[in-house]
Amino acid sequence: MMLRPRWIGALVFALALAAGFAALGQWQLERALESGKAVEAPSETVLPLADIAKPGGPITDKAVGQLVEFTGTFVPGDYQILDGRLNEGKTGWWVIGHVNLEEPDGTEVAMAVARGWAPDEATAKSAVARLSAEPESAAGIVGRILPDEQPEVPQDKSDPTQMRTVGIGALYNLWTGVDGMDVYSAYVVQRGGVDGLDAIYSPPPIAETELNWLNIFYAAEWIIFAGFAIFLWYRLVKDAKQREDELRELAEEEAAASASAGSAAVTGKVE
């Protein structure tokens, strides 16, 4: 049955139809993979801070992890230390500074800058004392901008000012001369660190990917359609064969009945 020209032609048509469905499925799958590719942001290109973030509001997802540069003045008496900070797998202390930046309109805004990491509290406090003794002067700063962290309740009840996260609101309350001053809702990890402190390891952000599941669903549908085209051809051939078998059996039964009737008539005449 399958080797008859009619069904061979139908098979060729079904295969062509299945190939078309498969091509559409591949196209949908390629679209899903293309949309899921990570878009590499130029986070390692140092850009001006003013082009990346504005004070008074959260930074955008695109800005997170971007290397920025700006000029500001560290306020000597506003250094804070944070414990429980990891640096390449080691737990230690961060030294956080308060920087004032001058906006184009002449106003000043505040920014938190993580200056370096120390393996113990004594080293961190020694660095704070040394940095606090430096005279105020404008300095160029390059670092990676990161979003504000949620503050934590101090674990040491005897030290209510203990800090473990870079909470801009908590730091703002500890800084001097910031009443009425705007502040960046983010902080910068200074690149390279300072004397007496190790540089804080701050890798570039990991680009996230997300597949387009709708395209994958469409691709699966086209593959199913391709398989259905072959199955439909097989089913049509099978049904045609069943009809032929039924007609043949019916013809054989009719022939047998006619032969039986004829034999009975001959026998009646002989009697």
Side-chain angles (χ1 to χ4, degrees):
M1 175 68 73
M2 293 183 180
L3 297 178
R4 294 177 184 177
R6 173 188 175 186
W7 295 115
I8 291 177
L11 176 60
V12 172
F13 176 76
L15 290 175
L17 196 61
F21 289 154
L24 288 172
Q26 183 180 6
W27 174 69
Q28 289 287 357
L29 185 60
E30 289 175 352
R31 287 193 62 188
L33 295 176
E34 185 67 26
S35 64
K37 286 183 179 179
V39 179
E40 297 295 337
S43 61
E44 302 312 285
T45 302
V46 180
L47 301 176
L49 174 63
D51 295 346
I52 299 301
K54 302 297 180 184
I59 61 175
T60 63
D61 292 339
K62 186 178 179 180
V64 174
Q66 176 67 49
L67 286 177
V68 297
E69 61 180 354
F70 58 95
T71 300
T73 302
F74 285 99
V75 179
D78 283 352
Y79 282 100
Q80 306 293 331
I81 58 175
L82 279 64
D83 70 336
R85 305 299 298 199
L86 291 175
N87 198 42
E88 295 189 283
K90 299 178 182 178
T91 303
W93 299 73
W94 274 15
V95 173
I96 302 290
H98 163 206
V99 177
N100 286 334
L101 300 78
E102 185 173 340
E103 293 287 272
D105 60 1
T107 60
E108 283 192 326
V109 296
M111 163 73 80
V113 176
R115 305 212 63 184
W117 178 88
D120 52 67
E121 185 177 9
T123 303
K125 288 184 175 180
S126 176
V128 167
R130 184 172 60 258
L131 292 171
S132 298
E134 294 179 353
E136 290 190 27
S137 61
I141 302 167
V142 176
R144 195 178 303 281
I145 189 168
L146 297 172
D148 181 17
E149 299 176 359
Q150 293 297 322
E152 293 183 0
V153 177
Q155 297 181 353
D156 185 359
K157 302 303 180 181
S158 63
D159 184 8
T161 62
Q162 180 191 49
M163 299 178 63
R164 296 175 60 88
T165 61
V166 189
I168 303 302
L171 289 170
Y172 191 83
N173 291 330
L174 297 174
W175 290 343
T176 58
V178 293
D179 290 343
M181 184 184 296
D182 210 346
V183 63
Y184 280 91
S185 298
Y187 68 97
V188 170
V189 176
Q190 183 173 340
R191 188 169 66 176
V194 295
D195 292 339
L197 295 172
D198 295 341
I200 297 173
Y201 176 64
S202 181
I206 299 174
E208 296 183 356
T209 61
E210 184 177 350
L211 290 176
N212 189 326
W213 290 104
L214 184 60
N215 288 119
I216 292 179
F217 174 75
Y218 288 151
E221 276 191 335
W222 286 120
I223 298 301
I224 292 172
F225 290 158
F228 181 75
I230 304 300
F231 172 78
L232 181 60
W233 171 83
Y234 166 77
R235 187 65 190 179
L236 291 173
V237 173
K238 184 178 179 181
D239 290 345
K241 186 177 185 304
Q242 286 179 344
R243 285 194 299 271
E244 283 193 3
D245 291 343
E246 290 173 356
L247 291 174
R248 184 173 58 254
E249 290 176 359
L250 181 60
E252 291 175 352
E253 289 176 357
E254 290 177 349
S258 297
S260 177
S263 176
V266 171
T267 303
K269 289 179 179 181
V270 172
E271 290 179 354

CSV table of all heavy atoms in Angstrom, one decimal, residues 121-172:
chain,number,residue,atom,x,y,z
A,121,GLU,N,39.8,44.7,63.7
A,121,GLU,CA,39.2,46.0,64.2
A,121,GLU,C,40.3,47.0,64.5
A,121,GLU,O,40.2,48.2,64.1
A,121,GLU,CB,38.3,45.8,65.4
A,121,GLU,CG,37.6,47.1,65.8
A,121,GLU,CD,36.7,46.9,67.0
A,121,GLU,OE1,36.7,45.8,67.6
A,121,GLU,OE2,35.9,47.8,67.3
A,122,ALA,N,41.4,46.6,65.1
A,122,ALA,CA,42.5,47.5,65.4
A,122,ALA,C,43.1,48.1,64.2
A,122,ALA,O,43.4,49.3,64.2
A,122,ALA,CB,43.6,46.7,66.2
A,123,THR,N,43.3,47.3,63.1
A,123,THR,CA,43.9,47.9,61.9
A,123,THR,C,42.9,48.9,61.3
A,123,THR,O,43.3,49.9,60.8
A,123,THR,CB,44.2,46.8,60.9
A,123,THR,OG1,45.1,45.8,61.5
A,123,THR,CG2,44.8,47.3,59.6
A,124,ALA,N,41.6,48.6,61.3
A,124,ALA,CA,40.6,49.5,60.8
A,124,ALA,C,40.6,50.8,61.5
A,124,ALA,O,40.5,51.9,60.9
A,124,ALA,CB,39.2,48.8,60.8
A,125,LYS,N,40.6,50.7,62.9
A,125,LYS,CA,40.6,51.9,63.7
A,125,LYS,C,41.9,52.8,63.5
A,125,LYS,O,41.8,54.0,63.5
A,125,LYS,CB,40.4,51.6,65.1
A,125,LYS,CG,39.0,51.1,65.5
A,125,LYS,CD,38.8,50.9,66.9
A,125,LYS,CE,37.3,50.5,67.3
A,125,LYS,NZ,37.1,50.3,68.7
A,126,SER,N,43.0,52.1,63.3
A,126,SER,CA,44.2,52.8,63.0
A,126,SER,C,44.2,53.5,61.7
A,126,SER,O,44.6,54.7,61.6
A,126,SER,CB,45.4,51.8,63.0
A,126,SER,OG,46.6,52.4,62.7
A,127,ALA,N,43.6,52.9,60.7
A,127,ALA,CA,43.4,53.6,59.4
A,127,ALA,C,42.5,54.7,59.5
A,127,ALA,O,42.7,55.8,58.9
A,127,ALA,CB,42.9,52.5,58.4
A,128,VAL,N,41.4,54.6,60.3
A,128,VAL,CA,40.5,55.7,60.5
A,128,VAL,C,41.2,56.9,61.1
A,128,VAL,O,41.0,58.1,60.7
A,128,VAL,CB,39.3,55.3,61.3
A,128,VAL,CG1,38.4,56.5,61.8
A,128,VAL,CG2,38.4,54.3,60.5
A,129,ALA,N,42.0,56.6,62.1
A,129,ALA,CA,42.7,57.7,62.8
A,129,ALA,C,43.6,58.4,61.8
A,129,ALA,O,43.7,59.7,61.9
A,129,ALA,CB,43.5,57.2,64.0
A,130,ARG,N,44.3,57.7,61.0
A,130,ARG,CA,45.2,58.3,60.0
A,130,ARG,C,44.5,59.1,59.0
A,130,ARG,O,44.9,60.2,58.6
A,130,ARG,CB,46.1,57.2,59.4
A,130,ARG,CG,47.2,57.7,58.5
A,130,ARG,CD,48.1,56.6,58.0
A,130,ARG,NE,47.4,55.5,57.3
A,130,ARG,CZ,47.0,54.3,57.8
A,130,ARG,NH1,47.3,54.1,59.1
A,130,ARG,NH2,46.4,53.4,57.1
A,131,LEU,N,43.4,58.5,58.5
A,131,LEU,CA,42.6,59.2,57.4
A,131,LEU,C,42.0,60.5,58.0
A,131,LEU,O,41.9,61.5,57.3
A,131,LEU,CB,41.6,58.3,56.8
A,131,LEU,CG,42.1,57.1,56.0
A,131,LEU,CD1,41.0,56.1,55.7
A,131,LEU,CD2,42.8,57.6,54.7
A,132,SER,N,41.5,60.4,59.2
A,132,SER,CA,40.9,61.6,59.9
A,132,SER,C,41.8,62.7,60.1
A,132,SER,O,41.4,63.9,60.2
A,132,SER,CB,40.2,61.2,61.2
A,132,SER,OG,39.2,60.2,61.0
A,133,ALA,N,43.1,62.4,60.2
A,133,ALA,CA,44.1,63.4,60.4
A,133,ALA,C,44.5,64.1,59.1
A,133,ALA,O,45.2,65.2,59.1
A,133,ALA,CB,45.4,62.8,61.1
A,134,GLU,N,44.1,63.6,58.0
A,134,GLU,CA,44.5,64.2,56.7
A,134,GLU,C,43.7,65.5,56.5
A,134,GLU,O,42.5,65.6,56.8
A,134,GLU,CB,44.3,63.3,55.5
A,134,GLU,CG,45.1,62.0,55.6
A,134,GLU,CD,44.8,61.1,54.4
A,134,GLU,OE1,43.8,61.3,53.7
A,134,GLU,OE2,45.6,60.1,54.2
A,135,PRO,N,44.3,66.5,55.9
A,135,PRO,CA,43.6,67.8,55.7
A,135,PRO,C,42.6,67.6,54.6
A,135,PRO,O,42.7,66.7,53.7
A,135,PRO,CB,44.7,68.7,55.2
A,135,PRO,CG,45.8,67.8,54.6
A,135,PRO,CD,45.7,66.6,55.5
A,136,GLU,N,41.5,68.4,54.6
A,136,GLU,CA,40.5,68.3,53.6
A,136,GLU,C,41.0,68.9,52.3
A,136,GLU,O,41.6,70.0,52.3
A,136,GLU,CB,39.3,69.1,54.1
A,136,GLU,CG,38.5,68.5,55.2
A,136,GLU,CD,37.1,69.2,55.4
A,136,GLU,OE1,36.6,69.8,54.4
A,136,GLU,OE2,36.6,69.2,56.5
A,137,SER,N,40.9,68.1,51.3
A,137,SER,CA,41.3,68.6,49.9
A,137,SER,C,40.5,67.8,48.9
A,137,SER,O,40.2,66.6,49.1
A,137,SER,CB,42.8,68.4,49.7
A,137,SER,OG,43.2,67.1,49.9
A,138,ALA,N,40.3,68.4,47.8
A,138,ALA,CA,39.6,67.7,46.7
A,138,ALA,C,40.4,66.6,46.1
A,138,ALA,O,41.7,66.7,46.0
A,138,ALA,CB,39.2,68.7,45.6
A,139,ALA,N,39.8,65.4,45.9
A,139,ALA,CA,40.5,64.3,45.4
A,139,ALA,C,39.7,63.6,44.3
A,139,ALA,O,38.5,63.5,44.4
A,139,ALA,CB,40.8,63.3,46.5
A,140,GLY,N,40.4,63.1,43.3
A,140,GLY,CA,39.7,62.3,42.3
A,140,GLY,C,39.5,60.9,42.8
A,140,GLY,O,40.4,60.2,43.3
A,141,ILE,N,38.3,60.4,42.6
A,141,ILE,CA,38.0,59.0,43.1
A,141,ILE,C,37.4,58.2,41.9
A,141,ILE,O,36.6,58.6,41.1
A,141,ILE,CB,36.9,59.1,44.2
A,141,ILE,CG1,37.4,60.0,45.4
A,141,ILE,CG2,36.5,57.7,44.7
A,141,ILE,CD1,36.4,60.4,46.3
A,142,VAL,N,37.9,57.0,41.9
A,142,VAL,CA,37.4,56.0,40.9
A,142,VAL,C,37.0,54.7,41.6
A,142,VAL,O,37.7,54.3,42.5
A,142,VAL,CB,38.5,55.6,39.9
A,142,VAL,CG1,38.0,54.5,38.9
A,142,VAL,CG2,38.9,56.8,39.1
A,143,GLY,N,35.8,54.3,41.3
A,143,GLY,CA,35.3,53.1,42.0
A,143,GLY,C,34.1,52.5,41.4
A,143,GLY,O,33.5,53.1,40.4
A,144,ARG,N,33.6,51.4,42.0
A,144,ARG,CA,32.4,50.8,41.5
A,144,ARG,C,31.2,51.2,42.3
A,144,ARG,O,31.2,51.1,43.6
A,144,ARG,CB,32.5,49.2,41.5
A,144,ARG,CG,31.5,48.5,40.7
A,144,ARG,CD,31.8,47.0,40.8
A,144,ARG,NE,33.1,46.6,40.3
A,144,ARG,CZ,33.5,46.5,39.1
A,144,ARG,NH1,32.6,46.8,38.1
A,144,ARG,NH2,34.7,46.1,38.7
A,145,ILE,N,30.1,51.7,41.7
A,145,ILE,CA,28.9,52.1,42.4
A,145,ILE,C,28.0,50.9,42.6
A,145,ILE,O,27.8,50.1,41.7
A,145,ILE,CB,28.2,53.3,41.6
A,145,ILE,CG1,27.1,53.9,42.4
A,145,ILE,CG2,27.7,52.8,40.2
A,145,ILE,CD1,26.5,55.2,41.9
A,146,LEU,N,27.5,50.9,43.8
A,146,LEU,CA,26.6,49.8,44.3
A,146,LEU,C,25.4,50.3,45.0
A,146,LEU,O,25.5,51.4,45.6
A,146,LEU,CB,27.4,48.8,45.2
A,146,LEU,CG,28.6,48.1,44.5
A,146,LEU,CD1,29.4,47.3,45.6
A,146,LEU,CD2,28.1,47.2,43.4
A,147,PRO,N,24.3,49.6,45.1
A,147,PRO,CA,23.1,50.1,45.7
A,147,PRO,C,23.2,50.1,47.2
A,147,PRO,O,24.0,49.4,47.8
A,147,PRO,CB,22.0,49.2,45.2
A,147,PRO,CG,22.8,47.9,44.9
A,147,PRO,CD,24.1,48.3,44.4
A,148,ASP,N,22.4,51.0,47.8
A,148,ASP,CA,22.2,51.0,49.2
A,148,ASP,C,21.9,49.7,49.8
A,148,ASP,O,21.1,48.9,49.2
A,148,ASP,CB,21.1,52.1,49.6
A,148,ASP,CG,20.9,52.3,51.0
A,148,ASP,OD1,21.8,51.9,51.8
A,148,ASP,OD2,19.9,52.8,51.4
A,149,GLU,N,22.4,49.3,51.0
A,149,GLU,CA,22.1,48.1,51.6
A,149,GLU,C,21.1,48.3,52.8
A,149,GLU,O,21.1,49.4,53.4
A,149,GLU,CB,23.4,47.4,52.2
A,149,GLU,CG,24.4,47.1,51.1
A,149,GLU,CD,25.7,46.5,51.6
A,149,GLU,OE1,25.8,46.4,52.9
A,149,GLU,OE2,26.6,46.2,50.8
A,150,GLN,N,20.4,47.3,53.1
A,150,GLN,CA,19.4,47.4,54.2
A,150,GLN,C,20.2,47.3,55.5
A,150,GLN,O,21.1,46.5,55.8
A,150,GLN,CB,18.4,46.2,54.2
A,150,GLN,CG,17.5,46.3,53.0
A,150,GLN,CD,16.6,47.5,53.0
A,150,GLN,OE1,16.1,47.9,54.1
A,150,GLN,NE2,16.3,48.1,51.8
A,151,PRO,N,19.8,48.3,56.5
A,151,PRO,CA,20.5,48.3,57.8
A,151,PRO,C,20.2,47.0,58.6
A,151,PRO,O,19.1,46.4,58.4
A,151,PRO,CB,20.0,49.5,58.4
A,151,PRO,CG,18.7,49.8,57.8
A,151,PRO,CD,18.8,49.3,56.3
A,152,GLU,N,21.1,46.6,59.5
A,152,GLU,CA,20.8,45.5,60.4
A,152,GLU,C,20.8,46.0,61.8
A,152,GLU,O,21.5,46.9,62.2
A,152,GLU,CB,21.9,44.4,60.2
A,152,GLU,CG,21.8,43.7,58.8
A,152,GLU,CD,22.9,42.6,58.7
A,152,GLU,OE1,23.6,42.4,59.7
A,152,GLU,OE2,23.0,42.0,57.7
A,153,VAL,N,20.1,45.2,62.6
A,153,VAL,CA,20.1,45.5,64.1
A,153,VAL,C,21.5,45.1,64.6
A,153,VAL,O,21.9,44.0,64.4
A,153,VAL,CB,19.0,44.8,64.8
A,153,VAL,CG1,19.0,45.0,66.3
A,153,VAL,CG2,17.6,45.2,64.2
A,154,PRO,N,22.1,46.0,65.4
A,154,PRO,CA,23.4,45.6,66.0
A,154,PRO,C,23.4,44.3,66.8
A,154,PRO,O,22.5,44.1,67.6
A,154,PRO,CB,23.8,46.8,66.8
A,154,PRO,CG,23.0,47.9,66.3
A,154,PRO,CD,21.8,47.3,65.8
A,155,GLN,N,24.3,43.3,66.5
A,155,GLN,CA,24.3,42.1,67.2
A,155,GLN,C,24.9,42.3,68.6
A,155,GLN,O,24.5,41.6,69.6
A,155,GLN,CB,25.2,41.1,66.5
A,155,GLN,CG,24.5,40.7,65.1
A,155,GLN,CD,25.4,39.7,64.4
A,155,GLN,OE1,26.4,39.3,64.8
A,155,GLN,NE2,24.8,39.2,63.2
A,156,ASP,N,25.8,43.2,68.8
A,156,ASP,CA,26.4,43.5,70.1
A,156,ASP,C,25.6,44.6,70.8
A,156,ASP,O,25.6,45.8,70.4
A,156,ASP,CB,27.9,44.0,69.9
A,156,ASP,CG,28.6,44.2,71.2
A,156,ASP,OD1,28.0,44.0,72.3
A,156,ASP,OD2,29.8,44.6,71.2
A,157,LYS,N,24.8,44.2,71.7
A,157,LYS,CA,23.9,45.1,72.4
A,157,LYS,C,24.6,46.2,73.2
A,157,LYS,O,24.1,47.3,73.4
A,157,LYS,CB,22.9,44.4,73.4
A,157,LYS,CG,22.1,43.3,72.7
A,157,LYS,CD,21.3,43.9,71.5
A,157,LYS,CE,20.4,42.8,70.9
A,157,LYS,NZ,19.6,43.3,69.8
A,158,SER,N,25.9,46.0,73.5
A,158,SER,CA,26.7,47.0,74.2
A,158,SER,C,27.2,48.1,73.3
A,158,SER,O,27.6,49.1,73.8
A,158,SER,CB,27.8,46.3,74.9
A,158,SER,OG,28.7,45.7,74.0
A,159,ASP,N,27.1,47.8,72.0
A,159,ASP,CA,27.5,48.9,71.0
A,159,ASP,C,26.4,49.1,70.1
A,159,ASP,O,26.3,48.5,69.0
A,159,ASP,CB,28.8,48.4,70.3
A,159,ASP,CG,29.3,49.4,69.4
A,159,ASP,OD1,28.8,50.6,69.4
A,159,ASP,OD2,30.3,49.1,68.6
A,160,PRO,N,25.5,50.0,70.4
A,160,PRO,CA,24.3,50.3,69.5
A,160,PRO,C,24.7,50.9,68.2
A,160,PRO,O,23.8,51.0,67.3
A,160,PRO,CB,23.4,51.2,70.4
A,160,PRO,CG,24.4,51.9,71.3
A,160,PRO,CD,25.4,50.9,71.6
A,161,THR,N,25.9,51.4,68.1
A,161,THR,CA,26.3,52.1,66.8
A,161,THR,C,27.0,51.1,65.9
A,161,THR,O,27.5,51.5,64.8
A,161,THR,CB,27.2,53.3,67.1
A,161,THR,OG1,28.4,52.8,67.7
A,161,THR,CG2,26.5,54.3,68.0
A,162,GLN,N,27.1,49.8,66.3
A,162,GLN,CA,27.8,48.9,65.4
A,162,GLN,C,27.1,48.7,64.1
A,162,GLN,O,25.8,48.7,64.0
A,162,GLN,CB,27.8,47.5,66.1
A,162,GLN,CG,28.5,46.4,65.3
A,162,GLN,CD,28.3,45.0,65.9
A,162,GLN,OE1,27.2,44.6,66.2
A,162,GLN,NE2,29.4,44.3,66.1
A,163,MET,N,27.8,48.7,63.0
A,163,MET,CA,27.3,48.6,61.7
A,163,MET,C,27.9,47.4,60.9
A,163,MET,O,29.1,47.2,61.0
A,163,MET,CB,27.5,49.9,60.9
A,163,MET,CG,26.8,51.1,61.5
A,163,MET,SD,27.2,52.6,60.6
A,163,MET,CE,26.4,52.3,59.0
A,164,ARG,N,27.1,46.7,60.1
A,164,ARG,CA,27.6,45.6,59.3
A,164,ARG,C,27.2,45.8,57.8
A,164,ARG,O,27.7,45.1,57.0
A,164,ARG,CB,27.0,44.3,59.8
A,164,ARG,CG,27.4,43.9,61.2
A,164,ARG,CD,26.7,42.6,61.7
A,164,ARG,NE,26.9,41.5,60.8
A,164,ARG,CZ,28.0,40.7,61.0
A,164,ARG,NH1,28.8,40.9,62.0
A,164,ARG,NH2,28.2,39.7,60.2
A,165,THR,N,26.3,46.7,57.6
A,165,THR,CA,25.9,47.0,56.2
A,165,THR,C,26.1,48.5,55.8
A,165,THR,O,26.1,49.3,56.7
A,165,THR,CB,24.4,46.6,55.9
A,165,THR,OG1,23.6,47.4,56.8
A,165,THR,CG2,24.2,45.1,56.2
A,166,VAL,N,26.1,48.8,54.5
A,166,VAL,CA,26.3,50.1,54.1
A,166,VAL,C,24.9,50.7,53.9
A,166,VAL,O,24.3,50.8,52.8
A,166,VAL,CB,27.1,50.2,52.8
A,166,VAL,CG1,27.4,51.7,52.4
A,166,VAL,CG2,28.3,49.4,52.9
A,167,GLY,N,24.3,51.1,55.1
A,167,GLY,CA,22.9,51.7,55.1
A,167,GLY,C,23.1,53.2,55.0
A,167,GLY,O,23.6,53.8,55.9
A,168,ILE,N,22.8,53.8,53.8
A,168,ILE,CA,23.0,55.2,53.6
A,168,ILE,C,22.2,56.0,54.7
A,168,ILE,O,22.8,57.1,55.2
A,168,ILE,CB,22.6,55.6,52.2
A,168,ILE,CG1,23.3,54.8,51.2
A,168,ILE,CG2,22.8,57.1,52.0
A,168,ILE,CD1,24.8,54.9,51.3
A,169,GLY,N,21.0,55.6,55.0
A,169,GLY,CA,20.3,56.4,56.0
A,169,GLY,C,20.9,56.4,57.3
A,169,GLY,O,21.0,57.4,58.0
A,170,ALA,N,21.5,55.2,57.8
A,170,ALA,CA,22.2,55.2,59.0
A,170,ALA,C,23.5,56.0,59.0
A,170,ALA,O,23.8,56.7,60.0
A,170,ALA,CB,22.5,53.7,59.4
A,171,LEU,N,24.2,56.0,57.9
A,171,LEU,CA,25.4,56.8,57.8
A,171,LEU,C,25.1,58.3,57.8
A,171,LEU,O,25.8,59.1,58.4
A,171,LEU,CB,26.2,56.4,56.5
A,171,LEU,CG,26.8,55.0,56.5
A,171,LEU,CD1,27.3,54.7,55.1
A,171,LEU,CD2,28.0,55.0,57.5
A,172,TYR,N,24.0,58.6,57.1
A,172,TYR,CA,23.6,60.0,57.0
A,172,TYR,C,23.4,60.6,58.4
A,172,TYR,O,23.7,61.8,58.7
A,172,TYR,CB,22.4,60.1,56.1
A,172,TYR,CG,22.0,61.6,55.7
A,172,TYR,CD1,22.6,62.2,54.7
A,172,TYR,CD2,21.0,62.3,56.4
A,172,TYR,CE1,22.3,63.5,54.3
A,172,TYR,CE2,20.7,63.6,56.1
A,172,TYR,CZ,21.3,64.2,55.0
A,172,TYR,OH,21.0,65.4,54.6
